[in-house]
Amino acid sequence: MKKDKDMSYKWSALITVSIGTFIGTLDASIVNISFPRLTEVFNTEPSVVLWVSVVYLLVSVSLMLSLGRIGDTLGRKKVYIAGLALVTVGLALCSISQNILHLILSRVLQGVGAAMTIALSTAIVTSAFPDQERGKALGIIGGVVSAGLLSGPVLGGFLLDFLGWRSIFYTRIPISIIGLIMAGILLKEQKVSSNGMKFDIWGAVTLFGSLTCLLLFFNFGGRLGFLSPPVLILVSSAVILFVLFIIAERRAAQPIVDLNLFRDRLFASANVSLVIIFLAMASLTFLMPFYLINGIGHSASKAGLLLATVSLTALVIGPLSGWLSDKIGSRVLCTVGSALVCLALFLLRGLGPESSDIDILLRLVVLGVGTGMFQSPNNSSIMGSVPRERLSTASAMLGTVRQVGMSSGIAIAGTIYTARQLFHAAQLASDNLAPTMLQRLSIVGGFQDTLLVAAIVCSIGIIASLVRGRQPPN
């Protein structure tokens, strides 16, 4: 009877956490498509509207590890539910915003809630499943993450066209409430620290400051230039604060991040390969809509359906590769997966202004297979290489690394793309092309050049996966 209850609980926990994970990762991508509309509605500059996304990323990324540590002490269920409640309230406040400042402040609240849910979701699932099924469970979570990140522009486009910008927020409130009710009823409390909590305040402050300066460095660097004085001050501050964070963690009785975890080659290399893969894939997430809509003239809905191929493929492959990693370990699967992502980026770079939908679709399928094959075993190896009492820290590390890779990758890709698009436009100016054709060709050229850089970066991820060493099967 107990075994049946455990069997029932682990799937209930997985479904419940999947809802929160989808909401959190969807939030990171669904809002961006509304920026042009928000600029008109609030009669403001694009540089101001951009903060609707920037503050969400800054808050969620910077707080994730601290909140994961709090979850280990106060109880994962308690903190997870509080986070989902904040997300729900944040969505409601965003949907009734009367000015841009109100919207930005509401996004701050959402970011705090998202940090709480994302930081603890993987830890809750890992605790619910036995070690021999961890990869399969995290494979499903990995597929949900991919679906959330890549379906944001698709859903956002449809909602924006048919229901207006406020619908991007209020249509998700019922889903969030359902997830909140399920979490309250179905999840069991997981409190792993019996000692009194000694919160690492200096570690939290220096980590928050370092990650905030890092993300602002990438954000402003793309617009002001990476060698401009304000941007150089930001990157210097990020480095100094990170050094202070390391010092604080070495001295703290209960550090936010146990630095000894990085002595494990599997844990360290899996995190390095994760940030590299998401850094590279961010280029495609950011640029593919420009290529499909402005480069070859597809409608927003058709572009969204093509992009959904990646998440659907990853959703199928993720659980399979996770299940297989339970049998053979993660090294081979992660190496092959990262190699397929790299190959897909090279193949997508070969797309031109006349490429057919079949050409695009096949390349996106390769990317989806690679993503699903890499992410699930890699996440499982990270979660499996830490003690169970530190699962929340490892879970938060996953979310932090993923978000830092995505946000940094988008900023870098935007800088490269803009520079190369202008270069190609100047090169083509003497060919007496029609303005529309000149724009299309320059967009495609910038797209191709940026993906070449992304593929080269991704190749480093292959090496990081290969040197992780052998992982014994669960």
Side-chain angles (χ1 to χ4, degrees):
M1 182 66 70
K2 184 178 183 299
K3 187 174 181 181
D4 291 340
K5 288 183 178 179
D6 290 342
M7 179 76 70
S8 174
Y9 172 70
K10 67 183 182 182
W11 291 110
S12 298
L14 179 62
I15 294 170
T16 301
V17 167
S18 293
I19 293 174
T21 300
F22 182 76
I23 293 171
T25 52
L26 179 67
D27 235 326
S29 60
I30 194 172
V31 178
N32 295 4
I33 200 169
S34 69
F35 284 173
R37 188 73 54 84
L38 293 176
T39 303
E40 297 173 4
V41 169
F42 293 119
N43 191 26
T44 188
E45 299 294 324
S47 58
V48 177
V49 171
L50 185 65
W51 282 91
V52 172
S53 178
V54 171
V55 295
Y56 178 87
L57 288 171
L58 287 178
V59 172
S60 61
V61 172
S62 301
L63 293 180
M64 218 172 278
L65 282 164
S66 299
L67 291 169
R69 180 73 185 92
I70 290 173
D72 275 337
T73 305
L74 299 183
R76 292 170 187 157
K77 174 181 177 178
K78 189 182 301 180
V79 176
Y80 180 85
I81 289 176
L84 208 49
L86 284 179
V87 169
T88 307
V89 173
L91 287 171
L93 291 175
C94 285
S95 67
I96 61 173
S97 295
Q98 299 302 307
N99 56 61
I100 191 64
L101 179 60
H102 184 184
L103 181 59
I104 290 172
L105 292 176
S106 300
R107 289 286 284 172
V108 170
L109 188 64
Q110 257 191 288
V112 175
M116 297 167 82
T117 57
I118 295 173
L120 297 170
S121 57
T122 310
I124 291 172
V125 172
T126 302
S127 291
F129 278 78
D131 289 345
Q132 63 270 24
E133 296 181 12
R134 183 181 62 241
K136 177 175 63 178
L138 295 183
I140 295 173
I141 291 292
V144 172
V145 168
S146 298
L149 290 173
L150 293 168
S151 63
V154 183
L155 296 175
F158 278 108
L159 290 172
L160 202 62
D161 286 341
F162 294 105
L163 296 175
W165 72 268
R166 295 183 190 276
S167 66
I168 289 178
F169 301 103
Y170 70 69
T171 54
R172 289 181 285 145
I173 293 176
I175 303 174
S176 187
I177 292 174
I178 291 171
L180 190 59
I181 294 171
M182 290 177 64
I185 296 174
L186 299 176
L187 292 183
K188 297 177 182 177
E189 186 55 276
Q190 299 173 0
K191 187 174 181 180
V192 297
S193 178
S194 56
N195 299 325
M197 179 180 177
K198 297 178 181 178
F199 187 66
D200 178 16
I201 183 66
W202 289 112
V205 170
T206 51
L207 177 64
F208 181 87
S210 178
L211 288 175
T212 297
C213 289
L214 178 66
L215 294 181
L216 289 175
F217 161 71
F218 285 119
N219 183 266
F220 285 117
R223 288 180 283 161
L224 303 178
F226 285 99
L227 297 179
S228 63
V231 175
L232 290 177
I233 291 172
L234 282 171
V235 72
S236 300
S237 300
V239 172
I240 292 170
L241 286 167
F242 184 71
V243 171
L244 293 175
F245 168 71
I246 298 295
I247 294 172
E249 294 308 274
R250 290 189 178 280
R251 296 179 177 178
Q254 296 180 11
I256 291 173
V257 179
D258 184 356
L259 299 178
N260 290 325
L261 293 175
F262 288 92
R263 294 180 178 177
D264 186 317
R265 188 170 70 170
L266 177 61
F267 181 85
S269 60
N271 276 289
V272 170
S273 57
L274 180 64
V275 74
I276 291 173
I277 293 297
F278 271 91
L279 189 72
M281 283 189 58
S283 299
L284 188 74
T285 303
F286 174 65
L287 292 178
M288 202 65 187
F290 285 95
Y291 167 75
L292 293 173
I293 296 171
N294 299 329
I296 61 177
H298 281 342
S299 65
S301 57
K302 186 174 183 179
L305 290 174
L306 285 170
L307 286 172
T309 305
V310 181
S311 56
L312 288 174
T313 307
L315 197 58
V316 173
I317 298 297
L320 295 176
S321 65
W323 171 80
L324 193 57
S325 72
D326 291 331
K327 310 295 181 184
I328 66 173
S330 67
R331 182 184 183 186
V332 173
L333 292 168
C334 289
T335 304
V336 173
S338 54
L340 286 175
V341 171
C342 185
L343 173 64
L345 292 172
F346 271 115
L347 293 174
L348 286 161
R349 176 190 173 267
L351 294 174
E354 306 299 331
S355 294
S356 68
D357 289 347
I358 293 297
D359 288 336
I360 298 168
L361 198 65
L362 291 175
R363 288 163 169 81
L364 291 177
V365 167
V366 175
L367 180 67
V369 172
T371 303
M373 188 172 289
F374 167 81
Q375 192 169 327
S376 305
N378 194 71
N379 290 356
S380 180
S381 65
I382 291 174
M383 299 304 292
S385 59
V386 301
R388 282 197 167 258
E389 65 271 14
R390 302 296 278 173
L391 284 178
S392 294
T393 298
S395 175
M397 182 72 71
L398 276 174
T400 302
V401 168
R402 182 175 64 234
Q403 294 283 62
V404 168
M406 286 291 292
S407 54
S408 303
I410 287 173
I412 295 170
T415 302
I416 296 173
Y417 171 72
T418 300
R420 296 306 296 174
Q421 183 189 359
L422 291 174
F423 170 81
H424 286 288
Q427 293 289 102
L428 295 166
S430 60
D431 293 345
N432 296 321
L433 297 171
T436 303
M437 180 58 69
L438 176 64
Q439 182 186 30
R440 286 182 60 189
L441 292 177
S442 63
I443 287 171
V444 172
F447 169 80
Q448 293 172 337
D449 293 349
T450 308
L451 285 196
L452 175 61
V453 175
I456 293 171
V457 170
C458 190
S459 65
I460 303 173
I462 302 175
I463 299 172
S465 291
L466 191 61
V467 301
R468 69 179 55 203
R470 296 184 180 276
Q471 174 191 1
N474 296 321

